[in-house]
C-alpha cells in the first residue's frame, strides 16, 4: 500500500511540475507578447480642430452665419451656466457670445455662486440696473416695463441649463434672488428644434437673450441677426440625420410621448400642468 501510495504521489508531483513549467512558459510568452505590444507607438486621438470664434469644429464652422461685425449693444449679458452645458456639443451660448462685442456676454460656470467666489457676479446682482430673465410668479413682463433702457446701461442675468437645472440654480443661489425678475410675455416658438423643450413656450438661452436685447435696445433686427447662426446649426443637423424634437407638452397632448409615465408624485403633477398649460 505504502509503495503504491508513494509511486502515485511521485507521479502526481511530476505532473504538477510539468503543469507548472507549462504555465511558466505561457506566462513568459504572455510577458513577451505584452512587451512587444508595449513597444508599439501609441496612436493619440487628436481632437478635431475647433473654430475660435464660433467654438464649432472647423468642418462645420458657423462663422459665415455670424454678423460681420459684433452687434452694437449697451446691454451686458451675464450667463450663469450649469457645468453639464459646457460639455454639450450643440450649445447656443458660444454662438450668442460670438455675435456680441467682447465683454458684453460673460459666462460663469457652476452650480453654486457665492459672493466670496464670484465677486463680479455678486456686484452685478446687487446693482439696481440688473435684471434676472427667468420666468416665475413674481416675474414682471419685460415688454411692459416703463424703464427707458437707452438712458442707462443695464445688465441681464440668464441661467443656462435644462429647465430642472435652471430651477435648482435659481432656488439655491441667494445672489440670483437679488435682481429684479422679468420674463418674456410672448416668446415665439423655439427654433432650437434639435433639442426637446418642456413646453411649447420654452426657448433656448440664445433665443431668450435675442428677444430681450431686441426689446431693451429697441432694435428688432438684433433678434434676426442672433437667430441666424442657430437656424443654420439646426438646419445642418437635420440634413445629417438629426430629428425634429417636439416639446414634451406637444408629445403628451398628441399621444406621442413614448417614455413610461413617471411614478413620482411631483413629476406626475408636472405632467398634469403640461396638459393644462399651467406654469411649471
Amino acid at each position: 500500500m505504502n509503495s503504491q501510495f508513494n509511486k502515485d504521489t511521485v507521479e502526481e508531483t511530476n505532473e504538477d511540475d510539468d503543469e507548472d513549467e507549462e504555465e511558466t512558459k505561457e506566462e513568459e510568452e504572455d510577458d513577451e507578447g505584452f512587451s512587444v505590444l508595449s513597444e508599439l507607438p501609441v496612436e493619440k486621438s487628436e481632437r478635431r480642430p475647433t473654430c475660435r470664434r464660433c467654438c464649432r469644429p472647423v468642418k462645420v464652422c458657423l462663422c459665415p452665419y455670424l454678423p460681420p461685425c459684433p452687434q452694437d449693444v449697451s446691454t451686458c449679458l451675464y450667463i450663469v451656466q450649469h457645468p453639464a452645458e459646457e460639455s454639450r456639443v450643440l450649445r447656443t451660448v458660444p454662438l450668442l457670445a460670438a455675435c456680441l462685442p467682447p465683454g458684453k456676454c460673460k459666462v460663469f460656470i457652476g452650480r453654486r455662486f457665492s459672493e466670496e467666489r464670484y465677486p463680479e457676479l455678486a456686484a452685478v446682482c446687487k446693482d439696481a440696473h440688473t435684471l434676472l430673465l427667468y420666468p416665475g410668479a413674481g416675474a414682471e413682463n419685460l415688454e411692459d416695463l416703463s424703464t427707458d433702457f437707452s438712458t442707462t446701461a443695464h445688465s441681464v442675468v440668464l441661467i443656462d441649463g435644462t429647465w430642472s437645472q435652471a430651477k435648482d440654480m435659481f432656488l439655491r443661489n441667494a445672489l440670483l434672488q437679488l435682481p429684479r425678475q422679468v420674463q418674456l410675455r410672448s416668446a415665439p416658438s423655439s427654433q432650437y428644434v434639435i433639442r426637446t423643450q418642456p413646453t411649447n413656450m420654452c426657448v433656448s438661452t440664445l433665443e431668450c437673450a435675442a428677444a430681450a436685447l431686441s426689446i431693451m435696445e429697441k432694435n428688432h433686427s438684433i433678434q434676426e441677426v442672433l437667430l441666424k447662426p442657430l437656424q443654420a446649426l439646426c438646419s445642418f443637423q437635420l440634413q445629417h440625420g438629426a430629428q425634429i424634437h417636439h416639446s414634451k407638452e406637444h408629445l403628451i397632448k398628441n399621444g406621442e410621448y413614448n417614455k413610461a409615465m413617471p411614478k413620482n408624485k411631483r413629476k406626475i403633477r408636472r405632467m398634469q400642468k403640461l396638459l393644462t398649460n399651467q406654469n411649471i
Side-chain angles (χ1 to χ4, degrees):
M1 288 287 294
N2 290 337
S3 61
Q4 181 64 38
F5 174 80
N6 290 337
K7 183 178 179 182
D8 292 342
T9 303
V10 170
E11 289 178 354
E12 289 178 1
T13 302
N14 291 336
E15 288 178 0
D16 289 341
D17 290 340
D18 292 339
E19 289 178 0
D20 289 340
E21 288 180 6
E22 289 180 3
E23 289 179 0
T24 302
K25 288 180 180 179
E26 288 178 359
E27 289 177 358
E28 289 177 353
E29 290 175 358
D30 290 340
D31 290 340
E32 288 178 4
F34 179 78
S35 62
V36 171
L37 290 174
S38 64
E39 292 174 0
L40 293 175
V42 178
E43 185 178 348
K44 296 181 180 179
S45 57
E46 295 183 1
R47 190 174 181 179
R48 289 188 295 175
T50 303
C51 174
R52 292 185 178 181
R53 187 181 180 195
C54 68
C55 298
R56 295 278 298 160
V58 173
K59 288 186 178 180
V60 288
C61 174
L62 293 175
C63 286
Y65 304 95
L66 298 176
C69 299
Q71 294 293 285
D72 184 18
V73 296
S74 61
T75 307
C76 187
L77 303 180
Y78 289 84
I79 314 290
V80 287
Q81 186 179 79
H82 191 278
E85 285 296 311
E86 192 180 11
S87 60
R88 290 186 182 275
V89 177
L90 305 175
R91 298 176 293 161
T92 65
V93 170
L95 299 178
L96 173 62
C99 294
L100 300 176
K104 288 296 183 180
C105 183
K106 300 183 179 181
V107 181
F108 298 88
I109 301 171
R111 292 184 179 86
R112 303 291 176 263
F113 300 90
S114 64
E115 185 173 354
E116 294 74 21
R117 292 187 62 187
Y118 299 90
E120 181 182 359
L121 180 62
V124 170
C125 290
K126 291 179 180 180
D127 193 310
H129 297 105
T130 298
L131 304 174
L132 172 71
L133 188 53
Y134 183 78
E140 304 173 69
N141 294 328
L142 180 60
E143 299 93 329
D144 299 337
L145 297 184
S146 58
T147 307
D148 186 0
F149 297 107
S150 62
T151 57
T152 307
H154 280 65
S155 299
V156 178
V157 178
L158 301 100
I159 306 175
D160 185 43
T162 64
W163 282 95
S164 59
Q165 290 168 351
K167 183 178 181 180
D168 179 74
M169 291 167 68
F170 172 70
L171 295 176
R172 293 179 181 271
N173 286 282
L175 286 181
L176 300 181
Q177 312 293 326
L178 299 177
R180 187 179 184 181
Q181 188 179 349
V182 297
Q183 62 187 4
L184 298 174
R185 181 184 60 204
S186 54
S189 297
S190 177
Q191 298 186 42
Y192 193 25
V193 294
I194 54 176
R195 188 168 174 180
T196 304
Q197 304 289 0
T199 72
N200 296 332
M201 296 301 292
C202 293
V203 295
S204 66
T205 303
L206 183 148
E207 292 170 301
C208 192
L213 287 175
S214 68
I215 295 169
M216 297 175 70
E217 300 288 330
K218 295 181 179 179
N219 184 355
H220 292 290
S221 66
I222 291 177
Q223 188 170 8
E224 296 176 7
V225 172
L226 296 186
L227 290 180
K228 193 174 180 181
L230 176 65
Q231 294 165 347
L233 170 65
C234 294
S235 176
F236 178 84
Q237 293 299 127
L238 292 173
Q239 289 173 15
H240 290 79
Q243 300 295 319
I244 292 179
H245 289 225
H246 294 290
S247 70
K248 190 178 290 184
E249 174 190 1
H250 173 91
L251 296 175
I252 293 173
K253 287 184 175 181
N254 290 276
E256 300 173 3
Y257 190 73
N258 297 323
K259 294 183 180 180
M261 296 299 285
K263 297 180 181 180
N264 181 284
K265 291 182 178 180
R266 181 177 61 83
K267 290 185 178 180
I268 292 174
R269 286 197 298 270
R270 284 173 60 86
M271 289 291 191
Q272 291 172 342
K273 288 180 179 181
L274 286 174
L275 290 171
T276 55
N277 285 326
Q278 297 181 40
N279 292 329
I280 59 172

